[in-house]
Structures are given as structure tokens and as C-alpha cells.
């Protein structure tokens, strides 16, 4: 069993970007600039946005964090996005999800200029991804693909079971794994909350991507010997033994599944850091395409 070390691969990706940014600076070219919008004060969202901004600094990107009140109207938020769309210094725009209930995710995503859609959620980006055209790939599944590529894992012809069909993780993951690329070329089964024989399907899987948000859902009895396990889940579980009052759990019961797996991502330190690395790659791309 080999651990797929997201911290290590993410660092390698960030180091590569750092060099590329330094090269751009030396050539007098524009430095990539990411704008992040955070609405409200959700603890997990604060953590995610914070690490995205810190990573920008580490790599040498410019970043702008725009904090907005939880009560901001949808109209005003769309106005802020329009301003960023029209600002030539901004290369990438991300709006941290989830948004308050009175704001439509769909309207927000559709308002972002597709050429600045570094999260890859805009319908134009999704459409291009489905057609296999160059575009922004959503950061988490993009990060998983970068990790598979880094470890030179041969996915061709393998049966991948993706648990979860969200627009952010499960669905794009299923599209990328089934694409005629390397990594890719998998036969994909996508499972969701209405899937009936999930355990049987998982037992047939050469690759399992768990992205359902249910801590330790995937247990050893659901996993075939030698399977590749990608754990996307991140859930805060109450834990009085921790100073901060919670611990982070993945969707896979790591201790019992790891001995059966050929490769496995830990939580934390697996897919999470890869997500940020992929977002940075998208932001670099957004800048270098135009400048
Ligand atoms: P979501 O709630 O939008 O989607 C969950 C999906 O799981 C749904 O499609 C649902 O049908 C499916 N599901 C729920 N219960 C199921 C069950 N019992 N059996 C089969 N399918 C079931 O969640 P999401 O945004 O896709 O996120 C999933 C998990 O990944 C969460 O824990 C989230 O925190 C985590 N996440 C991690 C990263 C990262 O960087 N590592 C990024 C995004 C999301």
C-alpha cells in the first residue's frame, strides 16, 4: 500500500508555479491576480479562503480577498462580480461556496466572466470539459487527476466508482476519469444517494472516489483487494480531545481500508492540498492566456 501524499504533490506543483511566476516577473510580464469573495463568516469557508490567499502569497501571485456581509443582497453581490469581470488586473475570480440561502449559486456562477472562471463551475467551462476542450477544470477533480498523473497510476481500462454526483466534485470527476486521456480512459460508475447496490458496485471497483460527505462511510468490506482509494470527504466531527473542538474526517475508514488498498489518499493531507494547487494552476493559466 502506498500513500498518495497530497502535501508533497501540491508542494511540487506550487514550486513549479513559483518558478514560472518568477520567470514572468523577470520578463516584465503580468503577475497572476486572484480575487476571492467570501460572504459571511462560515468557519470552514474562512479556513479554505485563508489558505487560498496564503498560497497565492507563497507562489508570488497577487490576491484580493473581498469580505461581504452575510446579509448582502444578491443584486449587490452580482455587482461586485461585474466590477471584477471588468477589472483587467484581475485574472481569476472565485466565490467561496456555500452562499447564504437568499443568494442563488447559479446566478453567481453564471455572472463570473468565463475567461476568469478559475473554479471551473461556469456552464461554458463545464461544456468545454465535457467535450474534452481546453478549459478550467474544477479544482478538486483536477487535483485528483494531477495526483494520479504524479504517481504515474495507470487508470486505462479500470473500473472507477465515483460516490457523489455534485457539480463541484462527483460529476466532473466522472467525466474526467472517463475521458480519453491519461490519466482517464476508465469505465465509470457514478453513484448517489438513490443508488441501491452501492456495496456490490464498490466491490467491483479498481478505483473508488469517495465524495459524499459522510465520515468513514467506505469500510473495508466494501473494498476489493488492491483498489485505489481517493478520499475527497472533509467533515468536521466534534472531538473534545482536540483544542479546536473538532477533528477532520474523510469519507473512508482509513485504518481498515488502507491495508487492502494499493494506493490511498489520507485525510487530511490528500485531496485537500491538491485542490488548492489545481486552483493555482487554473489562475496561472487564466493570466498567461491573456497576457
Ligand atoms: P454534496 O453534498 O454537494 O454532494 C454529496 C453527494 O453524495 C450527492 O451527490 C449525494 O447524492 C451523494 N450521497 C449522499 N449520501 C450518499 C449515500 N449514502 N450513498 C451514495 N451517495 C450519497 O457534497 P460535495 O460538495 O460534492 O462534497 C462532498 C465531500 O467532499 C464533502 O465532505 C466536502 O466537504 C468534500 N470536499 C472536499 C474538497 C477537498 O478539497 N478535499 C473539495 C470539495 C468538497
Amino acid at each position: 500500500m502506498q500513500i498518495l501524499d497530497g502535501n508533497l504533490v501540491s508542494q511540487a506543483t506550487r514550486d513549479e508555479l513559483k518558478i514560472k511566476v518568477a520567470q514572468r516577473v523577470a520578463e516584465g510580464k503580468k503577475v497572476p491576480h486572484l480575487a476571492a469573495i467570501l460572504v459571511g463568516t462560515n468557519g470552514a469557508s474562512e479556513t479554505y479562503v485563508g489558505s487560498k490567499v496564503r498560497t497565492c502569497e507563497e507562489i508570488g501571485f497577487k490576491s484580493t480577498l473581498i469580505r461581504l456581509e452575510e446579509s448582502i443582497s444578491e443584486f449587490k453581490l452580482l455587482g461586485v462580480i461585474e466590477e471584477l469581470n471588468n477589472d483587467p488586473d484581475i485574472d481569476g475570480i472565485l466565490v467561496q461556496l456555500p452562499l447564504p440561502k437568499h443568494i442563488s449559486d447559479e446566478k453567481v456562477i453564471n455572472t463570473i466572466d468565463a475567461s476568469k472562471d478559475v473554479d471551473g463551475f461556469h456552464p461554458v467551462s463545464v461544456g468545454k470539459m465535457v467535450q474534452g476542450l481546453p478549459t478550467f477544470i474544477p479544482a478538486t477533480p483536477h487535483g485528483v487527476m494531477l495526483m494520479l498523473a504524479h504517481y504515474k497510476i495507470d487508470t486505462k481500462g479500470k473500473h472507477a466508482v465515483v460516490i457523489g454526483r455534485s457539480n463541484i466534485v462527483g460529476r466532473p470527476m466522472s467525466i474526467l476519469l472517463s475521458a480519453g486521456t491519461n490519466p482517464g480512459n476508465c469505465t465509470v460508475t457514478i453513484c448517489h444517494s438513490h443508488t441501491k447496490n452501492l456495496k456490490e458496485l464498490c466491490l467491483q471497483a479498481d478505483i473508488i472516489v469517495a465524495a459524499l460527505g459522510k465520515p468513514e462511510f467506505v469500510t473495508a468490506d466494501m473494498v476489493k483487494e488492491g483498489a485505489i482509494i481517493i478520499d475527497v470527504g472533509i467533515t468536521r466531527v466534534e472531538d473534545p480531545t482536540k483544542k479546536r473542538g473538532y477533528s477532520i474526517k474523510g469519507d473512508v475508514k482509513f485504518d481498515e481500508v488502507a491495508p487492502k488498498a494499493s494506493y490511498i489518499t489520507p485525510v487530511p493531507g490528500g485531496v485537500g492540498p491538491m485542490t488548492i494547487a489545481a486552483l493555482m494552476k487554473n489562475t496561472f493559466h487564466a493570466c498567461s492566456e491573456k497576457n
Side-chain angles (χ1 to χ4, degrees):
M1 183 273 296
Q2 182 172 357
I3 298 275
L4 299 173
D5 186 341
N7 286 325
L8 187 132
V9 186
S10 171
Q11 189 63 58
T13 311
R14 277 149 37 212
D15 287 347
E16 227 172 80
L17 287 171
K18 214 171 176 173
I19 293 167
K20 285 187 176 172
V21 175
Q23 266 166 3
R24 286 186 69 85
V25 172
E27 290 164 9
K29 289 183 177 164
K30 186 182 180 307
V31 165
H33 187 171
L34 175 69
I37 300 178
L38 177 61
V39 182
T41 52
N42 175 295
S45 294
E46 290 266 4
T47 308
Y48 296 144
V49 168
S51 53
K52 288 168 189 175
V53 168
R54 274 196 308 281
T55 309
C56 282
E57 282 165 16
E58 175 205 325
I59 295 175
F61 288 4
K62 275 168 79 178
S63 67
T64 300
L65 173 57
I66 300 168
R67 289 176 171 275
L68 301 169
E69 297 275 321
E70 178 97 23
S71 59
I72 190 169
S73 70
E74 184 181 271
F75 181 77
K76 275 200 179 150
L77 173 59
L78 298 183
V80 172
I81 296 171
E82 288 291 4
E83 271 178 38
L84 296 171
N85 283 343
N86 295 328
D87 182 343
D89 196 56
I90 300 289
D91 300 298
I93 303 169
L94 79 82
V95 181
Q96 188 64 44
L97 301 176
L99 288 166
K101 287 206 167 53
H102 65 279
I103 298 174
S104 150
D105 287 7
E106 193 189 338
K107 276 194 198 160
V108 165
I109 289 166
N110 291 1
T111 301
I112 296 171
D113 185 322
S115 71
K116 301 188 180 189
D117 173 39
V118 288
D119 259 339
F121 300 155
H122 191 283
V124 168
S125 308
V126 177
K128 286 185 177 173
M129 176 184 63
V130 171
Q131 293 184 338
L133 299 171
T135 188
F136 299 113
I137 305 290
T140 300
H142 187 189
V144 171
M145 297 303 275
L146 291 172
M147 177 117 87
L148 293 171
H150 179 92
Y151 283 94
K152 298 189 170 55
I153 294 174
D154 184 17
T155 59
K156 191 165 60 184
K158 295 217 158 94
H159 180 208
V161 168
V162 178
I163 315 175
R165 61 175 166 190
S166 73
N167 290 336
I168 293 171
V169 190
R171 196 171 303 280
M173 192 75 254
S174 71
I175 291 163
L176 296 172
L177 286 172
S178 64
T181 50
N182 178 27
N185 280 315
C186 291
T187 303
V188 177
T189 302
I190 181 156
C191 301
H192 45 77
S193 48
H194 294 276
T195 299
K196 290 213 168 98
N197 48 345
L198 186 68
K199 184 177 170 184
E200 287 71 24
L201 291 166
C202 285
L203 279 168
Q204 293 168 27
D206 304 307
I207 302 171
I208 295 178
V209 181
L212 69 161
K214 298 233 153 63
E216 301 188 326
F217 180 89
V218 177
T219 45
D221 60 332
M222 297 168 76
V223 174
K224 186 170 82 173
E225 203 66 49
I228 297 160
I229 309 292
I230 309 290
D231 188 353
V232 180
I234 297 180
T235 307
R236 288 183 177 195
V237 178
E238 227 179 278
D239 185 348
T241 67
K242 298 268 184 242
K243 208 168 155 195
R244 58 189 179 184
Y246 65 87
S247 49
I248 301 286
K249 293 271 180 220
D251 286 346
V252 175
K253 202 159 190 178
F254 184 89
D255 290 347
E256 62 174 56
V257 171
K260 287 184 97 174
S262 55
Y263 297 92
I264 187 166
T265 62
V267 176
V271 176
M274 289 311 301
T275 296
I276 296 193
L279 173 71
M280 296 298 136
K281 262 183 109 83
N282 283 353
T283 306
F284 184 87
H285 183 69
C287 175
S288 60
E289 275 292 287
K290 283 190 196 162
N291 306 279

